[in-house]
Amino acid sequence: MANYLKIFNIPNHYQFHRGGQIDNGIIAYETWGQLNQNKSNALLILTGLSADSHAARHSANDTAGWWEYMIGPGKAIDTNQWFVICASSLGSCKGSTGPCSPNPRTGQAYRFDFPDLCLEDIANTSVLLCQSLGIDRLHATIGPSMGGMTALALLLKHSEYCKHLVHIASGMASPPFSTAIRSLQREAILKDENFNQGHYSAANWPEEGMKFARKIGMLSYRSATEWADRFPRSLKKVPEHAFGSEFPIESYLEHHANQFVHKFDPISYLYLSRAMDWFDGHSYAQPRGSNPLGRVKLDGALIIGAETDLLFPVALQTELHQLLQKAGIKSELVITNSIQGHDAFLVDQQTFTQLVGDYLVQSAV
Amino acid sequence: MANYLKIFNIPNHYQFHRGGQIDNGIIAYETWGQLNQNKSNALLILTGLSADSHAARHSANDTAGWWEYMIGPGKAIDTNQWFVICASSLGSCKGSTGPCSPNPRTGQAYRFDFPDLCLEDIANTSVLLCQSLGIDRLHATIGPSMGGMTALALLLKHSEYCKHLVHIASGMASPPFSTAIRSLQREAILKDENFNQGHYSAANWPEEGMKFARKIGMLSYRSATEWADRFPRSLKKVPEHAFGSEFPIESYLEHHANQFVHKFDPISYLYLSRAMDWFDGHSYAQPRGSNPLGRVKLDGALIIGAETDLLFPVALQTELHQLLQKAGIKSELVITNSIQGHDAFLVDQQTFTQLVGDYLVQSAV
């Protein structure tokens, strides 16, 4: 456990959304800025599937974080003003308890004995963590990608816990295209001989499956337009063997796959990936057909999408915006023309800095 | 060899575009309608990767073809008026010679000893076939998908051989996104243990690799919009085991993969897939930077794309249209709002019947 991580102990009686419990589970998290006396300046950042709690550098860890440009003193998420919390998701492999953590009852990793994980569980344990810090209500929850769905799970399960929602590149449910991509990623991992029903080891790592899964994922993270700009056809190389790599896009996929393969735990990946496909905000409509967000209390919401996002296309952000408006919530919808597709929130710094920064400034008035 | 196939013998001296020769190679083809006395009413249909010569039913084979709605007496491609030719591509496994055909010199299948195949080779052998029928100039070449690129290869190598071009869901070169998809498909096949460097057999078929390749391909054939309409989330089933199939889109992919796995030869698939990625119409520009279509003679062209096509996005059809116009060729560009993505030409019968039918009627005036 990295020494800059803070630890929240999940109560043993916590019941998973689909049933099941774990003993001595923890959530590893990091914070930036100071919680004010009213405890009214807290922002919770919910992460994408493969991100960890290290969203930005801080005094205890000077390494750049995954949203470094966004979070810090004087930045869009201004840590001089806000107390920012970011946790490693329950079920992930970045410090919080997950399927690759030892089960205290057996001393062995849970593997498939870990309870079926839902985004609702990530949301619930995030709320428990915030409550443990004395926060009765978050000023805002900010969630990109999987984090956007987790934020909705949080609103649906804890309808008054947030004043504001900043929802980025996500939606009420995975469209079949995104589920198809994730299903093929899971299939690639499950099929790897080294996966061995979850009994892999560092020495017998399902490397090929993880690499292939990452390559399939890469199809959906950027956009065809960005790739067309980035990879001139003239760069072809002579392949080392028949049907070996020769196109620039192949080297790019291979490079990213190699970067990823040992950075994430295969079973954790399966659990989180399935949790995304399981999530269905619409299923909260009561009675069926009514507005699933009808009971959510929010002062306002900012919904951001990118025209080029294949994984969470703009129809999803439009749908969410309309549901919020129908629920009487002030919602602002922004569809950017970022060419970076689903990853735009990580790359198009200028656009996202301005959108998130302006929204938070307004929301504080 | 099915008895309704006609056979053209490729001259043994035919030199492949990237070098190499084969002995006693054949092109299997089918025809519809009658060649007129002037031999001026011939239409050549160039196929997509996995299609065969059986584009529509005829007296010798009453089975519906892959473009049944388009071709026949009184249809958009009216076989009362036109003499229509459709061949199985060189390198394919549908009657024409390909990597899985026996090499007469060894008696064994060529496998990777088959010459490196380019779309130029499919184009060249198609022209040789047409010439063998006495056709000095085609009234039109009609090519959807891979066939659209093959049609461009034909124009670039035989600049005066066609009066008209009908180009559908294709472009001057594969964008990196499409190459990425095809590269992953090839990787899935090559990786299958049963592929065995090409030495598979019916009893040891690379079934998993072929199925996975097909599933990856399916991501790009339709559109996210069409899938979102088609697969309601409520249809989820209980999986047979942890991480087993439960989402409707998973059953759909599995079904299509099972349909495909024994219908196409794995090495043929690799050869044709790579040929698509190799094709680069821009490389014909002489001098570099000039219009690669500058020397092409055409009376007119119809370029059709679909807004939802992920594999050959509309930027490609726009580019081709502009290059044709700059070359002084009368070109008509139509971007349809078909929601069926790349497959629109197979599915959106009304739109494509009208576009292709009207164009051919005009072109005959």
Side-chain angles (χ1 to χ4, degrees), chain B residues 162-214:
Chain B
C162 302
K163 281 180 78 175
H164 292 273
L165 168 69
V166 178
H167 184 271
I168 300 171
S170 193
M172 288 285 285
S174 283
F177 180 81
S178 314
T179 298
I181 287 189
R182 275 193 292 272
S183 169
L184 294 183
Q185 292 183 290
R186 294 192 292 267
E187 189 173 337
I189 295 170
L190 288 161
K191 251 187 194 156
D192 187 314
E193 274 199 2
N194 280 348
F195 183 75
N196 190 23
Q197 317 264 350
H199 292 267
Y200 47 86
S201 64
N204 288 292
W205 195 253
E207 192 152 335
E208 287 300 311
M210 285 294 280
K211 280 179 63 180
F212 208 59
R214 186 60 167 183

Side-chain angles (χ1 to χ4, degrees), chain A residues 244-255, chain B residues 179 183 186:
Chain A
S245 172
E246 63 179 303
F247 301 99
I249 188 68
E250 293 180 304
S251 312
Y252 170 87
L253 294 178
E254 188 72 21
H255 170 76
Chain B
T179 298
S183 169
R186 294 192 292 267

Side-chain angles (χ1 to χ4, degrees), chain A residues 18 112 172-181 183-188 190-191 193 208-209 211-212 215-216 219-220 223-224 227-229 231 233-234 236 242-244 246-247 249-250 253-254 267 270-271 274 276-280 282 288 310 313, chain B residues 18 112 173-181 183-188 190-191 193 208-209 211-212 215-216 219-220 223-224 227-229 231 233-234 236 239 242-244 246-247 249-250 253-254 267 270-271 274 276-280 282 288 310 313:
Chain A
R18 289 200 173 209
F112 288 124
M172 289 286 283
S174 284
F177 181 81
S178 314
T179 298
I181 286 189
S183 169
L184 294 184
Q185 293 183 288
R186 294 193 291 269
E187 188 174 337
L190 288 161
K191 250 186 197 160
E193 272 199 1
E208 288 300 311
K211 280 179 62 180
F212 207 59
K215 290 182 182 180
I216 294 169
L219 294 174
S220 66
S223 74
W227 279 1
D229 288 355
F231 301 111
R233 296 188 59 78
S234 51
K236 265 176 290 195
F243 296 97
E246 63 179 303
F247 301 99
I249 188 68
E250 293 180 304
L253 294 178
E254 188 72 21
I267 301 194
L270 295 177
Y271 268 78
R274 184 181 60 180
M276 284 182 80
D277 289 325
W278 270 346
F279 181 68
D280 186 358
H282 299 290
R288 248 177 96 177
L310 284 175
Chain B
R18 290 198 173 209
F112 288 124
S174 283
F177 180 81
S178 314
T179 298
I181 287 189
S183 169
L184 294 183
Q185 292 183 290
R186 294 192 292 267
E187 189 173 337
L190 288 161
K191 251 187 194 156
E193 274 199 2
E208 287 300 311
K211 280 179 63 180
F212 208 59
K215 289 182 182 180
I216 293 169
L219 294 173
S220 66
S223 75
W227 278 2
D229 287 355
F231 300 111
R233 296 189 59 76
S234 53
K236 264 177 290 198
F243 296 97
E246 64 180 302
F247 302 99
I249 189 69
E250 294 180 304
L253 294 178
E254 189 71 22
I267 302 194
L270 295 177
Y271 268 79
R274 184 179 62 181
M276 283 182 80
D277 288 326
W278 271 346
F279 182 69
D280 185 358
H282 298 291
R288 248 176 95 177
L310 284 175

Side-chain angles (χ1 to χ4, degrees), chain A residues 129-316:
Chain A
L129 153 64
C130 294
Q131 286 171 336
S132 78
L133 300 173
I135 299 162
D136 288 332
R137 196 178 189 201
L138 289 162
H139 181 76
T141 298
I142 302 173
S145 189
M146 183 183 88
M149 296 173 109
T150 311
L152 294 178
L154 193 157
L155 298 179
L156 288 161
K157 298 294 285 182
H158 310 271
S159 58
E160 307 196 8
Y161 199 67
C162 302
K163 282 179 79 174
H164 292 272
L165 167 69
V166 178
H167 184 273
I168 300 171
S170 193
M172 289 286 283
S174 284
F177 181 81
S178 314
T179 298
I181 286 189
R182 276 192 293 272
S183 169
L184 294 184
Q185 293 183 288
R186 294 193 291 269
E187 188 174 337
I189 295 170
L190 288 161
K191 250 186 197 160
D192 187 316
E193 272 199 1
N194 279 348
F195 183 75
N196 190 22
Q197 317 264 350
H199 291 268
Y200 48 85
S201 65
N204 288 292
W205 194 252
E207 191 151 336
E208 288 300 311
M210 285 295 279
K211 280 179 62 180
F212 207 59
R214 186 61 166 181
K215 290 182 182 180
I216 294 169
M218 296 297 297
L219 294 174
S220 66
Y221 299 152
R222 295 298 171 96
S223 74
T225 315
E226 198 231 19
W227 279 1
D229 288 355
R230 192 201 281 241
F231 301 111
R233 296 188 59 78
S234 51
L235 289 179
K236 265 176 290 195
K237 64 179 184 181
V238 177
E240 283 166 30
H241 50 85
F243 296 97
S245 172
E246 63 179 303
F247 301 99
I249 188 68
E250 293 180 304
S251 312
Y252 170 87
L253 294 178
E254 188 72 21
H255 170 76
H256 281 276
N258 284 328
Q259 292 280 308
F260 180 73
V261 60
H262 293 288
K263 281 205 185 137
F264 214 87
D265 176 72
I267 301 194
S268 265
Y269 199 87
L270 295 177
Y271 268 78
L272 289 164
S273 164
R274 184 181 60 180
M276 284 182 80
D277 289 325
W278 270 346
F279 181 68
D280 186 358
H282 299 290
S283 68
Y284 285 84
Q286 280 183 326
R288 248 177 96 177
S290 66
N291 188 343
L293 300 174
R295 264 175 291 274
V296 170
K297 305 285 176 234
L298 276 177
D299 287 3
L302 170 64
I303 314 298
I304 312 176
E307 197 65 66
T308 50
D309 191 339
L310 284 175
L311 210 52
F312 287 96
V314 297
L316 291 178

